[in-house]
Amino acid sequence: MIDAKDREIIEALQGGLPLMPAPYARVAERLGMDEDALLFRLAELKSRGVIRRIAAAPNHYKLGMTSNGMTVWDVQNDRVTELGTQIGALPFVTHCYERPRALPDWPYNLFAMVHGADRDEVEEKRAEITAILGDACRAKDILYSTRILKKTGLRLKAKG
Amino acid sequence: MRLDETDRAILNRMQDDLPLIPHPYAAIATELGIPESELLHRLSRMKEERIITRFGPFFDAAAMGGAFCLCAMAVPVENFETVLTKVNAHAEVAHNYERTHRLNMWFVLATETPEGIEATADAIERETGIEVLRFPKLQEFFIGFRVAA
């Protein structure tokens, strides 16, 4: 869990880290705290997994990765951990999760996001996944994204 | 905007974790063999051009006591925009994508409490009259989110 000070820090940083030589000094000043104290708090948030990493989120579309396929698979329950680990390690898979099925409409329990320059490239990569899953996979599908409808990331609601 | 080799090297490096130190950009610039001012200038430009959508800490709602959930809806094409407006009006909807399937709207809910997921998904069902299928993660097979620039 997070306390009120952590919350202030998260709110101050959710828009991003300032692009200037001493970014934490600037954020600390805004929060009325010392830079050292801020860095200490951030290190603690990181060790607890509240902050996963401090990094850039690239825009796939602008990088020419215009095709994005959510590949979905119905994998035998007793093999999903072993196979999910293998699929998650593929260099072209950016996210890989086991999720519950929604029967009868949705038999798929393994989701792997694949990006490529076009659909042919995504299909080639998908064929590699098909080969790895082999007999353990009973059904599969791919859902291409045709439009980004919203992308804001996590936003804390202002609390009084 | 065209990316040159230096931009690509920066973009690749900046997708990895930045050190938690007072002058993180100086450290990265040294690694890449360029002046700090040039790194900051190029980063600012890539952000302005939206090649980088965001730069900073990635927070995990679950570790803060909150939750994420992937949700999907089968939205009739003729009502798509109306439903979209209602769904996106919820601040808890963090990402939303149109996809090629009968289930054609896929979004992620990010809430500050686990109960918030059910409350928001139920509210969307009430407002739109369309079932919201919920696909919380059971296991994450996470290696790293990287795009080679």
Side-chain angles (χ1 to χ4, degrees):
Chain A
M1 298 306 275
I2 53 170
D3 67 16
K5 196 74 198 174
D6 291 334
R7 195 182 173 87
E8 270 182 46
I9 292 170
I10 292 165
E11 280 171 12
L13 284 171
Q14 61 191 357
L17 188 69
L19 289 172
M20 54 177 56
Y24 297 107
R26 165 62 65 90
V27 174
E29 191 189 335
R30 270 202 315 243
L31 292 170
M33 59 194 293
D34 288 341
E35 184 185 22
D36 284 350
L38 174 63
L39 285 166
F40 181 80
R41 283 259 183 183
L42 288 171
E44 207 182 55
L45 288 171
K46 218 166 152 182
S47 73
R48 282 160 44 202
V50 173
I51 293 175
R52 288 194 139 190
R53 67 188 185 287
I54 299 164
N59 182 334
H60 293 87
Y61 292 86
K62 294 254 183 180
L63 290 172
M65 309 286 276
T66 51
S67 208
N68 145 346
M70 185 172 77
T71 70
V72 293
W73 314 83
D74 175 13
V75 176
Q76 282 173 230
N77 287 346
D78 58 348
R79 301 202 53 201
V80 71
T81 300
E82 164 214 341
L83 290 165
T85 305
Q86 281 186 56
I87 304 304
L90 293 170
F92 52 81
V93 170
T94 52
H95 296 84
C96 186
Y97 298 100
E98 182 196 355
R99 300 184 186 279
R101 298 177 179 89
L103 297 170
D105 291 346
W106 188 263
Y108 312 110
N109 60 336
L110 185 69
F111 290 57
M113 199 62 76
V114 175
H115 296 269
D118 53 32
R119 290 193 182 186
D120 287 345
E121 191 184 329
V122 173
E123 287 298 338
E124 275 171 35
K125 292 170 173 173
R126 184 180 173 221
E128 284 186 48
I129 299 178
T130 304
I132 292 169
L133 295 178
D135 293 346
C137 170
R138 294 169 294 212
K140 62 182 194 232
D141 202 349
I142 183 163
L143 286 74
Y144 286 102
S145 74
T146 41
R147 200 156 41 122
I148 299 178
L149 304 171
K150 187 176 187 184
K151 192 168 186 179
T152 51
L154 177 68
R155 288 276 183 272
L156 291 180
K157 279 187 188 167
K159 274 193 183 168
Chain B
M1 168 183 172
R2 286 190 61 84
L3 299 177
D4 65 17
E5 284 309 303
T6 307
D7 291 325
R8 288 173 191 278
I10 291 171
L11 206 47
N12 286 332
R13 173 60 186 91
M14 299 302 278
Q15 290 179 69
D16 285 323
D17 200 11
L18 208 70
L20 255 181
I21 52 176
H23 300 279
Y25 302 111
I28 301 300
T30 304
E31 262 181 49
L32 295 171
I34 56 173
E36 183 189 31
S37 58
E38 184 182 345
L39 173 65
L40 287 168
H41 174 73
R42 286 175 181 265
L43 279 174
S44 301
R45 204 182 40 151
M46 287 194 271
K47 219 174 142 187
E48 272 162 32
E49 300 278 341
R50 309 231 355 113
I51 287 164
I52 293 174
T53 48
R54 186 175 171 282
F55 176 72
F58 281 72
F59 298 105
D60 183 341
M64 286 188 253
F68 283 111
C69 186
L70 179 66
C71 297
M73 296 169 80
V75 183
V77 176
E78 62 276 16
N79 296 339
F80 198 87
E81 296 305 317
T82 315
V83 171
L84 175 60
T85 305
K86 289 177 180 169
V87 172
N88 278 0
H90 290 268
E92 294 84 357
V93 175
H95 308 276
N96 192 353
Y97 287 87
E98 180 183 42
R99 293 192 179 277
T100 53
H101 193 271
R102 194 179 70 83
L103 292 168
N104 54 354
M105 189 183 286
W106 288 78
F107 52 90
V108 172
L109 293 179
T111 61
E112 291 184 47
T113 63
E115 300 75 36
I117 297 290
E118 293 306 314
T120 309
D122 289 349
I124 291 173
E125 285 185 341
R126 273 197 311 276
E127 291 161 15
T128 62
I130 300 170
E131 186 185 12
V132 175
L133 294 179
R134 297 154 209 197
F135 299 103
K137 75 174 175 194
L138 300 178
Q139 277 195 82
E140 179 171 16
F141 305 109
F142 183 78
I143 299 302
F145 187 82
R146 301 266 177 294
V147 184

PDB file of all heavy atoms in Angstrom, chain B residues 70-100:
ATOM      1  N   LEU B  70      -8.214  -6.634 -18.187  1.00  0.00           N
ATOM      2  CA  LEU B  70      -8.543  -6.518 -19.611  1.00  0.00           C
ATOM      3  C   LEU B  70     -10.030  -6.876 -19.766  1.00  0.00           C
ATOM      4  O   LEU B  70     -10.495  -7.852 -19.186  1.00  0.00           O
ATOM      5  CB  LEU B  70      -7.681  -7.494 -20.415  1.00  0.00           C
ATOM      6  CG  LEU B  70      -7.925  -7.527 -21.934  1.00  0.00           C
ATOM      7  CD1 LEU B  70      -7.521  -6.210 -22.584  1.00  0.00           C
ATOM      8  CD2 LEU B  70      -7.143  -8.682 -22.562  1.00  0.00           C
ATOM      9  N   CYS B  71     -10.742  -6.070 -20.523  1.00  0.00           N
ATOM     10  CA  CYS B  71     -12.181  -6.278 -20.727  1.00  0.00           C
ATOM     11  C   CYS B  71     -12.483  -6.238 -22.218  1.00  0.00           C
ATOM     12  O   CYS B  71     -11.770  -5.591 -22.984  1.00  0.00           O
ATOM     13  CB  CYS B  71     -12.993  -5.168 -20.057  1.00  0.00           C
ATOM     14  SG  CYS B  71     -12.805  -5.107 -18.273  1.00  0.00           S
ATOM     15  N   ALA B  72     -13.559  -6.918 -22.604  1.00  0.00           N
ATOM     16  CA  ALA B  72     -13.950  -6.906 -24.015  1.00  0.00           C
ATOM     17  C   ALA B  72     -15.459  -6.817 -24.153  1.00  0.00           C
ATOM     18  O   ALA B  72     -16.205  -7.330 -23.319  1.00  0.00           O
ATOM     19  CB  ALA B  72     -13.435  -8.164 -24.716  1.00  0.00           C
ATOM     20  N   MET B  73     -15.890  -6.149 -25.217  1.00  0.00           N
ATOM     21  CA  MET B  73     -17.319  -6.012 -25.507  1.00  0.00           C
ATOM     22  C   MET B  73     -17.564  -6.262 -26.990  1.00  0.00           C
ATOM     23  O   MET B  73     -16.726  -5.940 -27.828  1.00  0.00           O
ATOM     24  CB  MET B  73     -17.791  -4.580 -25.192  1.00  0.00           C
ATOM     25  CG  MET B  73     -17.699  -4.192 -23.730  1.00  0.00           C
ATOM     26  SD  MET B  73     -17.967  -2.400 -23.500  1.00  0.00           S
ATOM     27  CE  MET B  73     -19.745  -2.320 -23.594  1.00  0.00           C
ATOM     28  N   ALA B  74     -18.733  -6.825 -27.280  1.00  0.00           N
ATOM     29  CA  ALA B  74     -19.172  -6.987 -28.673  1.00  0.00           C
ATOM     30  C   ALA B  74     -20.133  -5.830 -28.948  1.00  0.00           C
ATOM     31  O   ALA B  74     -21.292  -5.870 -28.548  1.00  0.00           O
ATOM     32  CB  ALA B  74     -19.859  -8.333 -28.854  1.00  0.00           C
ATOM     33  N   VAL B  75     -19.613  -4.803 -29.609  1.00  0.00           N
ATOM     34  CA  VAL B  75     -20.396  -3.573 -29.809  1.00  0.00           C
ATOM     35  C   VAL B  75     -20.969  -3.569 -31.230  1.00  0.00           C
ATOM     36  O   VAL B  75     -20.211  -3.680 -32.195  1.00  0.00           O
ATOM     37  CB  VAL B  75     -19.515  -2.325 -29.607  1.00  0.00           C
ATOM     38  CG1 VAL B  75     -20.348  -1.049 -29.742  1.00  0.00           C
ATOM     39  CG2 VAL B  75     -18.821  -2.368 -28.243  1.00  0.00           C
ATOM     40  N   PRO B  76     -22.293  -3.420 -31.366  1.00  0.00           N
ATOM     41  CA  PRO B  76     -22.857  -3.324 -32.717  1.00  0.00           C
ATOM     42  C   PRO B  76     -22.248  -2.135 -33.462  1.00  0.00           C
ATOM     43  O   PRO B  76     -22.092  -1.050 -32.883  1.00  0.00           O
ATOM     44  CB  PRO B  76     -24.350  -3.087 -32.464  1.00  0.00           C
ATOM     45  CG  PRO B  76     -24.588  -3.555 -31.061  1.00  0.00           C
ATOM     46  CD  PRO B  76     -23.310  -3.323 -30.323  1.00  0.00           C
ATOM     47  N   VAL B  77     -21.878  -2.351 -34.706  1.00  0.00           N
ATOM     48  CA  VAL B  77     -21.160  -1.335 -35.478  1.00  0.00           C
ATOM     49  C   VAL B  77     -21.925  -0.002 -35.507  1.00  0.00           C
ATOM     50  O   VAL B  77     -21.331   1.066 -35.366  1.00  0.00           O
ATOM     51  CB  VAL B  77     -20.910  -1.848 -36.926  1.00  0.00           C
ATOM     52  CG1 VAL B  77     -20.248  -0.768 -37.765  1.00  0.00           C
ATOM     53  CG2 VAL B  77     -20.041  -3.092 -36.882  1.00  0.00           C
ATOM     54  N   GLU B  78     -23.239  -0.086 -35.637  1.00  0.00           N
ATOM     55  CA  GLU B  78     -24.018   1.158 -35.757  1.00  0.00           C
ATOM     56  C   GLU B  78     -24.012   1.967 -34.459  1.00  0.00           C
ATOM     57  O   GLU B  78     -24.268   3.173 -34.481  1.00  0.00           O
ATOM     58  CB  GLU B  78     -25.453   0.852 -36.240  1.00  0.00           C
ATOM     59  CG  GLU B  78     -26.294  -0.027 -35.316  1.00  0.00           C
ATOM     60  CD  GLU B  78     -26.064  -1.536 -35.508  1.00  0.00           C
ATOM     61  OE1 GLU B  78     -25.046  -1.922 -36.134  1.00  0.00           O
ATOM     62  OE2 GLU B  78     -26.899  -2.324 -35.024  1.00  0.00           O
ATOM     63  N   ASN B  79     -23.730   1.308 -33.325  1.00  0.00           N
ATOM     64  CA  ASN B  79     -23.704   2.050 -32.050  1.00  0.00           C
ATOM     65  C   ASN B  79     -22.289   2.306 -31.554  1.00  0.00           C
ATOM     66  O   ASN B  79     -22.096   2.762 -30.425  1.00  0.00           O
ATOM     67  CB  ASN B  79     -24.415   1.234 -30.955  1.00  0.00           C
ATOM     68  CG  ASN B  79     -25.875   1.039 -31.256  1.00  0.00           C
ATOM     69  OD1 ASN B  79     -26.457   1.791 -32.040  1.00  0.00           O
ATOM     70  ND2 ASN B  79     -26.473   0.020 -30.669  1.00  0.00           N
ATOM     71  N   PHE B  80     -21.311   1.999 -32.376  1.00  0.00           N
ATOM     72  CA  PHE B  80     -19.933   1.979 -31.886  1.00  0.00           C
ATOM     73  C   PHE B  80     -19.517   3.306 -31.243  1.00  0.00           C
ATOM     74  O   PHE B  80     -19.008   3.330 -30.128  1.00  0.00           O
ATOM     75  CB  PHE B  80     -18.963   1.589 -33.008  1.00  0.00           C
ATOM     76  CG  PHE B  80     -17.629   1.132 -32.494  1.00  0.00           C
ATOM     77  CD1 PHE B  80     -17.413  -0.189 -32.154  1.00  0.00           C
ATOM     78  CD2 PHE B  80     -16.583   2.036 -32.338  1.00  0.00           C
ATOM     79  CE1 PHE B  80     -16.187  -0.620 -31.661  1.00  0.00           C
ATOM     80  CE2 PHE B  80     -15.353   1.612 -31.838  1.00  0.00           C
ATOM     81  CZ  PHE B  80     -15.154   0.285 -31.506  1.00  0.00           C
ATOM     82  N   GLU B  81     -19.756   4.404 -31.934  1.00  0.00           N
ATOM     83  CA  GLU B  81     -19.277   5.694 -31.422  1.00  0.00           C
ATOM     84  C   GLU B  81     -19.993   6.097 -30.127  1.00  0.00           C
ATOM     85  O   GLU B  81     -19.385   6.650 -29.220  1.00  0.00           O
ATOM     86  CB  GLU B  81     -19.424   6.792 -32.483  1.00  0.00           C
ATOM     87  CG  GLU B  81     -18.559   6.572 -33.730  1.00  0.00           C
ATOM     88  CD  GLU B  81     -17.061   6.393 -33.437  1.00  0.00           C
ATOM     89  OE1 GLU B  81     -16.521   7.144 -32.594  1.00  0.00           O
ATOM     90  OE2 GLU B  81     -16.437   5.489 -34.038  1.00  0.00           O
ATOM     91  N   THR B  82     -21.290   5.804 -30.064  1.00  0.00           N
ATOM     92  CA  THR B  82     -22.060   6.127 -28.856  1.00  0.00           C
ATOM     93  C   THR B  82     -21.535   5.341 -27.656  1.00  0.00           C
ATOM     94  O   THR B  82     -21.323   5.891 -26.565  1.00  0.00           O
ATOM     95  CB  THR B  82     -23.553   5.752 -29.073  1.00  0.00           C
ATOM     96  OG1 THR B  82     -23.944   6.227 -30.359  1.00  0.00           O
ATOM     97  CG2 THR B  82     -24.433   6.332 -27.998  1.00  0.00           C
ATOM     98  N   VAL B  83     -21.304   4.037 -27.882  1.00  0.00           N
ATOM     99  CA  VAL B  83     -20.801   3.188 -26.801  1.00  0.00           C
ATOM    100  C   VAL B  83     -19.390   3.636 -26.415  1.00  0.00           C
ATOM    101  O   VAL B  83     -19.050   3.734 -25.230  1.00  0.00           O
ATOM    102  CB  VAL B  83     -20.811   1.700 -27.224  1.00  0.00           C
ATOM    103  CG1 VAL B  83     -20.099   0.826 -26.199  1.00  0.00           C
ATOM    104  CG2 VAL B  83     -22.251   1.228 -27.429  1.00  0.00           C
ATOM    105  N   LEU B  84     -18.584   3.936 -27.420  1.00  0.00           N
ATOM    106  CA  LEU B  84     -17.211   4.373 -27.163  1.00  0.00           C
ATOM    107  C   LEU B  84     -17.178   5.598 -26.249  1.00  0.00           C
ATOM    108  O   LEU B  84     -16.393   5.661 -25.298  1.00  0.00           O
ATOM    109  CB  LEU B  84     -16.510   4.686 -28.495  1.00  0.00           C
ATOM    110  CG  LEU B  84     -15.103   5.276 -28.387  1.00  0.00           C
ATOM    111  CD1 LEU B  84     -14.169   4.311 -27.661  1.00  0.00           C
ATOM    112  CD2 LEU B  84     -14.554   5.591 -29.775  1.00  0.00           C
ATOM    113  N   THR B  85     -18.032   6.558 -26.529  1.00  0.00           N
ATOM    114  CA  THR B  85     -18.077   7.773 -25.707  1.00  0.00           C
ATOM    115  C   THR B  85     -18.390   7.426 -24.255  1.00  0.00           C
ATOM    116  O   THR B  85     -17.752   7.949 -23.328  1.00  0.00           O
ATOM    117  CB  THR B  85     -19.138   8.749 -26.270  1.00  0.00           C
ATOM    118  OG1 THR B  85     -18.827   8.986 -27.646  1.00  0.00           O
ATOM    119  CG2 THR B  85     -19.147  10.056 -25.510  1.00  0.00           C
ATOM    120  N   LYS B  86     -19.333   6.506 -24.063  1.00  0.00           N
ATOM    121  CA  LYS B  86     -19.716   6.114 -22.695  1.00  0.00           C
ATOM    122  C   LYS B  86     -18.582   5.360 -21.998  1.00  0.00           C
ATOM    123  O   LYS B  86     -18.327   5.576 -20.818  1.00  0.00           O
ATOM    124  CB  LYS B  86     -20.973   5.237 -22.735  1.00  0.00           C
ATOM    125  CG  LYS B  86     -22.220   6.021 -23.107  1.00  0.00           C
ATOM    126  CD  LYS B  86     -23.432   5.115 -23.212  1.00  0.00           C
ATOM    127  CE  LYS B  86     -24.668   5.937 -23.580  1.00  0.00           C
ATOM    128  NZ  LYS B  86     -25.809   5.059 -23.938  1.00  0.00           N
ATOM    129  N   VAL B  87     -17.912   4.487 -22.722  1.00  0.00           N
ATOM    130  CA  VAL B  87     -16.823   3.697 -22.121  1.00  0.00           C
ATOM    131  C   VAL B  87     -15.648   4.617 -21.774  1.00  0.00           C
ATOM    132  O   VAL B  87     -15.138   4.614 -20.650  1.00  0.00           O
ATOM    133  CB  VAL B  87     -16.372   2.566 -23.079  1.00  0.00           C
ATOM    134  CG1 VAL B  87     -15.114   1.875 -22.560  1.00  0.00           C
ATOM    135  CG2 VAL B  87     -17.501   1.543 -23.262  1.00  0.00           C
ATOM    136  N   ASN B  88     -15.235   5.423 -22.743  1.00  0.00           N
ATOM    137  CA  ASN B  88     -14.057   6.271 -22.528  1.00  0.00           C
ATOM    138  C   ASN B  88     -14.290   7.358 -21.481  1.00  0.00           C
ATOM    139  O   ASN B  88     -13.331   7.905 -20.936  1.00  0.00           O
ATOM    140  CB  ASN B  88     -13.607   6.913 -23.845  1.00  0.00           C
ATOM    141  CG  ASN B  88     -12.751   5.967 -24.681  1.00  0.00           C
ATOM    142  OD1 ASN B  88     -12.501   4.842 -24.281  1.00  0.00           O
ATOM    143  ND2 ASN B  88     -12.321   6.440 -25.842  1.00  0.00           N
ATOM    144  N   ALA B  89     -15.542   7.658 -21.191  1.00  0.00           N
ATOM    145  CA  ALA B  89     -15.835   8.681 -20.174  1.00  0.00           C
ATOM    146  C   ALA B  89     -15.354   8.234 -18.790  1.00  0.00           C
ATOM    147  O   ALA B  89     -15.139   9.056 -17.905  1.00  0.00           O
ATOM    148  CB  ALA B  89     -17.334   8.973 -20.146  1.00  0.00           C
ATOM    149  N   HIS B  90     -15.137   6.928 -18.616  1.00  0.00           N
ATOM    150  CA  HIS B  90     -14.641   6.445 -17.321  1.00  0.00           C
ATOM    151  C   HIS B  90     -13.134   6.643 -17.241  1.00  0.00           C
ATOM    152  O   HIS B  90     -12.390   6.130 -18.091  1.00  0.00           O
ATOM    153  CB  HIS B  90     -14.985   4.958 -17.145  1.00  0.00           C
ATOM    154  CG  HIS B  90     -16.446   4.708 -16.956  1.00  0.00           C
ATOM    155  ND1 HIS B  90     -17.031   4.643 -15.720  1.00  0.00           N
ATOM    156  CD2 HIS B  90     -17.453   4.553 -17.857  1.00  0.00           C
ATOM    157  CE1 HIS B  90     -18.337   4.436 -15.854  1.00  0.00           C
ATOM    158  NE2 HIS B  90     -18.619   4.381 -17.145  1.00  0.00           N
ATOM    159  N   ALA B  91     -12.687   7.368 -16.216  1.00  0.00           N
ATOM    160  CA  ALA B  91     -11.249   7.624 -16.051  1.00  0.00           C
ATOM    161  C   ALA B  91     -10.489   6.314 -15.852  1.00  0.00           C
ATOM    162  O   ALA B  91      -9.293   6.236 -16.135  1.00  0.00           O
ATOM    163  CB  ALA B  91     -11.015   8.544 -14.856  1.00  0.00           C
ATOM    164  N   GLU B  92     -11.173   5.283 -15.376  1.00  0.00           N
ATOM    165  CA  GLU B  92     -10.523   3.984 -15.122  1.00  0.00           C
ATOM    166  C   GLU B  92     -10.135   3.273 -16.412  1.00  0.00           C
ATOM    167  O   GLU B  92      -9.355   2.317 -16.379  1.00  0.00           O
ATOM    168  CB  GLU B  92     -11.471   3.072 -14.321  1.00  0.00           C
ATOM    169  CG  GLU B  92     -11.767   3.563 -12.901  1.00  0.00           C
ATOM    170  CD  GLU B  92     -12.899   4.590 -12.835  1.00  0.00           C
ATOM    171  OE1 GLU B  92     -13.432   4.982 -13.918  1.00  0.00           O
ATOM    172  OE2 GLU B  92     -13.242   5.004 -11.722  1.00  0.00           O
ATOM    173  N   VAL B  93     -10.690   3.688 -17.544  1.00  0.00           N
ATOM    174  CA  VAL B  93     -10.331   3.078 -18.827  1.00  0.00           C
ATOM    175  C   VAL B  93      -8.988   3.675 -19.265  1.00  0.00           C
ATOM    176  O   VAL B  93      -8.907   4.840 -19.635  1.00  0.00           O
ATOM    177  CB  VAL B  93     -11.421   3.317 -19.894  1.00  0.00           C
ATOM    178  CG1 VAL B  93     -10.986   2.786 -21.259  1.00  0.00           C
ATOM    179  CG2 VAL B  93     -12.727   2.657 -19.461  1.00  0.00           C
ATOM    180  N   ALA B  94      -7.931   2.847 -19.164  1.00  0.00           N
ATOM    181  CA  ALA B  94      -6.574   3.353 -19.414  1.00  0.00           C
ATOM    182  C   ALA B  94      -6.189   3.250 -20.885  1.00  0.00           C
ATOM    183  O   ALA B  94      -5.562   4.146 -21.434  1.00  0.00           O
ATOM    184  CB  ALA B  94      -5.571   2.597 -18.552  1.00  0.00           C
ATOM    185  N   HIS B  95      -6.534   2.141 -21.510  1.00  0.00           N
ATOM    186  CA  HIS B  95      -6.260   1.932 -22.936  1.00  0.00           C
ATOM    187  C   HIS B  95      -7.516   1.344 -23.537  1.00  0.00           C
ATOM    188  O   HIS B  95      -8.194   0.553 -22.889  1.00  0.00           O
ATOM    189  CB  HIS B  95      -5.170   0.887 -23.184  1.00  0.00           C
ATOM    190  CG  HIS B  95      -3.920   1.107 -22.442  1.00  0.00           C
ATOM    191  ND1 HIS B  95      -2.940   1.948 -22.892  1.00  0.00           N
ATOM    192  CD2 HIS B  95      -3.488   0.602 -21.276  1.00  0.00           C
ATOM    193  CE1 HIS B  95      -1.957   1.942 -22.040  1.00  0.00           C
ATOM    194  NE2 HIS B  95      -2.259   1.137 -21.039  1.00  0.00           N
ATOM    195  N   ASN B  96      -7.766   1.662 -24.774  1.00  0.00           N
ATOM    196  CA  ASN B  96      -8.927   1.082 -25.447  1.00  0.00           C
ATOM    197  C   ASN B  96      -8.567   0.911 -26.921  1.00  0.00           C
ATOM    198  O   ASN B  96      -8.068   1.846 -27.552  1.00  0.00           O
ATOM    199  CB  ASN B  96     -10.132   2.020 -25.280  1.00  0.00           C
ATOM    200  CG  ASN B  96     -11.440   1.370 -25.687  1.00  0.00           C
ATOM    201  OD1 ASN B  96     -11.453   0.265 -26.222  1.00  0.00           O
ATOM    202  ND2 ASN B  96     -12.544   2.060 -25.435  1.00  0.00           N
ATOM    203  N   TYR B  97      -8.791  -0.294 -27.446  1.00  0.00           N
ATOM    204  CA  TYR B  97      -8.456  -0.585 -28.846  1.00  0.00           C
ATOM    205  C   TYR B  97      -9.651  -1.189 -29.556  1.00  0.00           C
ATOM    206  O   TYR B  97     -10.359  -2.022 -28.984  1.00  0.00           O
ATOM    207  CB  TYR B  97      -7.310  -1.596 -28.938  1.00  0.00           C
ATOM    208  CG  TYR B  97      -5.965  -1.028 -28.576  1.00  0.00           C
ATOM    209  CD1 TYR B  97      -5.539  -1.000 -27.262  1.00  0.00           C
ATOM    210  CD2 TYR B  97      -5.124  -0.522 -29.561  1.00  0.00           C
ATOM    211  CE1 TYR B  97      -4.298  -0.470 -26.926  1.00  0.00           C
ATOM    212  CE2 TYR B  97      -3.884   0.000 -29.237  1.00  0.00           C
ATOM    213  CZ  TYR B  97      -3.475   0.029 -27.921  1.00  0.00           C
ATOM    214  OH  TYR B  97      -2.254   0.547 -27.591  1.00  0.00           O
ATOM    215  N   GLU B  98      -9.839  -0.782 -30.799  1.00  0.00           N
ATOM    216  CA  GLU B  98     -10.796  -1.452 -31.662  1.00  0.00           C
ATOM    217  C   GLU B  98     -10.065  -2.626 -32.304  1.00  0.00           C
ATOM    218  O   GLU B  98      -8.951  -2.455 -32.792  1.00  0.00           O
ATOM    219  CB  GLU B  98     -11.283  -0.485 -32.741  1.00  0.00           C
ATOM    220  CG  GLU B  98     -12.292  -1.097 -33.690  1.00  0.00           C
ATOM    221  CD  GLU B  98     -12.711  -0.123 -34.793  1.00  0.00           C
ATOM    222  OE1 GLU B  98     -11.839   0.589 -35.341  1.00  0.00           O
ATOM    223  OE2 GLU B  98     -13.896  -0.076 -35.104  1.00  0.00           O
ATOM    224  N   ARG B  99     -10.693  -3.810 -32.299  1.00  0.00           N
ATOM    225  CA  ARG B  99     -10.045  -5.000 -32.855  1.00  0.00           C
ATOM    226  C   ARG B  99     -10.967  -5.777 -33.779  1.00  0.00           C
ATOM    227  O   ARG B  99     -12.186  -5.674 -33.689  1.00  0.00           O
ATOM    228  CB  ARG B  99      -9.560  -5.930 -31.727  1.00  0.00           C
ATOM    229  CG  ARG B  99      -8.442  -5.336 -30.907  1.00  0.00           C
ATOM    230  CD  ARG B  99      -7.774  -6.362 -29.998  1.00  0.00           C
ATOM    231  NE  ARG B  99      -6.693  -5.746 -29.243  1.00  0.00           N
ATOM    232  CZ  ARG B  99      -5.462  -5.574 -29.727  1.00  0.00           C
ATOM    233  NH1 ARG B  99      -5.139  -5.987 -30.934  1.00  0.00           N
ATOM    234  NH2 ARG B  99      -4.534  -4.996 -28.987  1.00  0.00           N
ATOM    235  N   THR B 100     -10.319  -6.573 -34.655  1.00  0.00           N
ATOM    236  CA  THR B 100     -11.034  -7.334 -35.679  1.00  0.00           C
ATOM    237  C   THR B 100     -11.595  -8.625 -35.095  1.00  0.00           C
ATOM    238  O   THR B 100     -10.943  -9.670 -35.118  1.00  0.00           O
ATOM    239  CB  THR B 100     -10.059  -7.715 -36.818  1.00  0.00           C
ATOM    240  OG1 THR B 100      -8.922  -8.374 -36.210  1.00  0.00           O
ATOM    241  CG2 THR B 100      -9.580  -6.512 -37.592  1.00  0.00           C
TER     242      THR B 100
END
